[in-house]
Amino acid sequence: MITNNIYYVGVNDRNKALFEGLWPLPFGVSYNSYLIVDEKVCLIDTVEVDFFVQFIENIRGVIGDRPIDYLVVNHMEPDHSGSLALLKKFYPDVQIIGNKKTFGMMAGFYGIDQQGALEVKNGDTLSLGTHTLQFVLTPMVHWPETMVTLDTTAHVLFSGDAFGCFGALNGAIVDSDMNCDDFWLEMTRYYSNIVGKYGTPVQNALKKLAGVEIDYICATHGPVWHEHVQKVIGIYDRLSRYEAEDGLVICYGTMYGNTERMAEVIARAAAEAGVKNIALYNVSKTHHSYILRDVFRYRALIVGAPTYNTGLYHEMDVLLSEIANRDIKGRLFGWFGSFAWAGKAVAKIQQWNDESLHFDAVGEPVEMKQALTPETRQQCEALGRAMAEALKKG
């Protein structure tokens, strides 16, 4: 039991390699579901359908043969709603609770109609006996139908994907019963990879929850937050406002090592000029998931790549597209490039910034022909120093 007759009935997935087929899961992921056992029994969200057998065992381990009266669907993404159709076969009389957009998706994904369902609007409440639930619509955090459910009796927020993070649960469920060190960077990576585009909707959701007493946050991924509730809210608040700590991400593409040498020179110059937090990545070796995480963490970004087929090196083009897709704001930006006979990379990176990124340009872009020379070395050093000075100025 988590608190006040609220139980965890979720599952862990330690086998999936890529979340959504995109993002690495080195520590696995949890699919969290919760039971409130009162005069009425209420299930909050379900789990990935592949884990249905374990899910039903977890439910019956808490309520035995009692029926489930209500099922609240906070989010329709299939890693949380995937067990809906099967659950209806075990509990045919369960009343599904969602908002108007929930039921449109439910019909599309699973052929479940709205007959016998309870459609709720923002601020609606439901009594389970002792517990009272309040429903708060949070559209585009990070799907249009998303909502959160407040147990106003126990001061518990069932938050859907909000406040979630990557990482399976290794025995303990509540943060106060575990060492949370591994979860903090995974929370930033989860936010930047999954939710990052939707900073304004996250801010709108936080405003709706401002002033609400919350003792526990029960998200659909990661630990149940209790001891660290305010820290977790603070992380999501900061990330959704695109605030970042002082630091520099340098990422580069390279075919034969020449562009990599430019990145190393820039990094050394920035470090010598006082930048302590520097993350240096080869875009073809490090999964972009981790680069995106650090672009959200740090305030400065320098990118560089070779010209390839009269355009920009593919992996850098993809990364810049991923960064632009997240509408990140307030970053300092520098760039460099190389070519053998026809230089295009530097111009293409500038085009990305002019048309999509809109970051604050720092220093002079560096374009290298073929290999590093004393002149291009000096230009790279100047770019590193310029970024360090821009960071110092705030």
Side-chain angles (χ1 to χ4, degrees):
M1 185 170 66
I2 296 168
T3 184
N4 202 10
N5 290 320
I6 297 174
Y7 296 85
Y8 179 85
V9 290
V11 299
N12 286 303
D13 187 345
R14 303 181 193 279
N15 298 313
K16 184 173 291 180
L18 295 174
F19 191 77
E20 298 181 339
L22 291 168
W23 316 114
L25 293 173
F27 308 113
V29 68
S30 66
Y31 309 121
N32 299 342
S33 176
Y34 306 92
L35 271 174
I36 305 172
V37 182
D38 202 337
E39 293 174 19
K40 299 288 187 179
V41 175
C42 182
L43 180 66
I44 311 287
D45 292 308
T46 71
V47 302
E48 173 82 48
V49 68
D50 292 348
F51 296 85
F52 184 77
V53 172
Q54 182 182 342
F55 181 47
I56 284 293
E57 289 177 357
N58 292 348
I59 291 171
R60 287 181 167 169
V62 175
I63 62 173
D65 293 330
R66 280 191 70 176
I68 297 174
D69 298 287
Y70 299 110
L71 166 58
V72 174
V73 181
N74 283 320
H75 184 25
M76 273 299 299
E77 207 164 2
D79 55 331
H80 308 299
S81 68
S83 292
L84 277 172
L86 284 174
L87 191 79
K88 282 278 288 181
K89 294 183 183 298
F90 280 76
Y91 299 97
D93 297 324
V94 65
Q95 188 171 20
I96 298 177
I97 299 173
N99 59 69
K100 184 176 181 179
K101 291 182 178 178
T102 305
F103 294 112
M105 291 187 178
M106 200 175 299
F109 275 118
Y110 309 114
I112 298 175
D113 60 34
Q114 203 169 335
Q115 184 176 359
L118 176 59
E119 182 180 316
V120 295
K121 297 180 175 61
N122 188 65
D124 285 354
T125 61
L126 174 71
S127 175
L128 303 178
T130 302
H131 295 254
T132 297
L133 303 183
Q134 182 178 29
F135 306 100
V136 180
L137 272 59
T138 57
M140 297 316 301
V141 185
H142 53 121
W143 277 25
E145 88 304 347
T146 53
M147 67 182 194
V148 300
T149 301
L150 277 164
D151 184 329
T152 59
T153 306
H155 307 299
V156 174
L157 174 66
F158 299 97
S159 63
D161 273 354
F163 309 117
C165 65
F166 293 133
L169 302 176
N170 299 323
I173 304 299
V174 181
D175 63 351
S176 52
D177 297 327
M178 66 178 73
N179 184 329
C180 293
D181 290 350
D182 289 339
F183 286 106
W184 301 123
L185 282 181
E186 287 296 87
M187 175 172 282
T188 300
R189 189 166 68 90
Y190 176 87
Y191 181 93
S192 63
N193 293 185
I194 308 299
V195 190
K197 182 179 180 67
Y198 304 104
T200 298
V202 171
Q203 281 292 304
N204 292 337
L206 290 173
K207 289 174 184 175
K208 288 183 178 181
L209 297 171
V212 175
E213 183 178 354
I214 300 173
D215 291 336
Y216 291 83
I217 295 176
C218 295
T220 46
H221 297 293
V224 171
W225 303 110
H226 176 51
E227 179 181 342
H228 298 296
V229 163
Q230 293 308 314
K231 179 175 181 177
V232 167
I233 293 174
I235 290 171
Y236 264 66
D237 180 39
R238 185 172 64 253
L239 291 171
S240 61
R241 286 187 284 110
Y242 303 102
E243 282 192 2
E245 57 190 287
D246 282 346
L248 170 61
V249 179
I250 303 173
C251 45
Y252 63 90
T254 194
M255 288 185 285
Y256 303 109
N258 292 301
T259 317
E260 182 177 51
R261 291 185 66 194
M262 298 177 76
E264 295 282 2
V265 172
I266 293 167
R268 176 64 64 87
E272 290 176 347
V275 182
K276 292 185 178 180
N277 295 322
I278 299 176
L280 187 60
Y281 292 119
N282 181 332
V283 293
S284 296
K285 182 176 181 182
T286 300
H287 196 285
H288 295 184
S289 174
Y290 299 94
I291 301 173
L292 290 169
R293 176 198 68 189
D294 285 350
V295 172
F296 268 80
R297 286 176 70 197
Y298 295 135
R299 200 156 57 88
L301 171 65
I302 298 177
V303 304
T307 298
Y308 196 89
N309 285 340
T310 68
L312 184 59
Y313 187 71
H314 174 74
E315 286 298 317
M316 182 57 69
D317 211 31
V318 171
L319 176 67
L320 292 175
S321 174
E322 291 168 339
I323 293 171
N325 178 258
R326 281 153 179 80
D327 294 333
I328 303 169
K329 298 172 179 62
R331 294 301 183 266
L332 304 173
F333 189 56
W335 62 96
F336 61 99
S338 63
F339 67 100
W341 68 90
K344 293 290 184 179
V346 166
K348 290 290 185 181
I349 295 171
Q350 179 165 348
Q351 185 179 351
W352 267 111
N353 196 42
D354 291 344
E355 296 179 359
S356 301
L357 301 176
H358 308 300
F359 293 157
D360 295 330
V362 173
E364 290 294 326
V366 183
E367 187 170 49
M368 179 182 73
K369 184 176 182 179
Q370 293 154 3
L372 199 65
T373 65
E375 181 182 2
T376 51
R377 176 182 289 276
Q378 290 175 0
Q379 292 170 347
C380 288
E381 291 171 342
L383 178 56
R385 287 192 299 266
M387 188 60 79
E389 288 302 313
L391 281 169
K392 288 177 185 177
K393 291 177 181 177

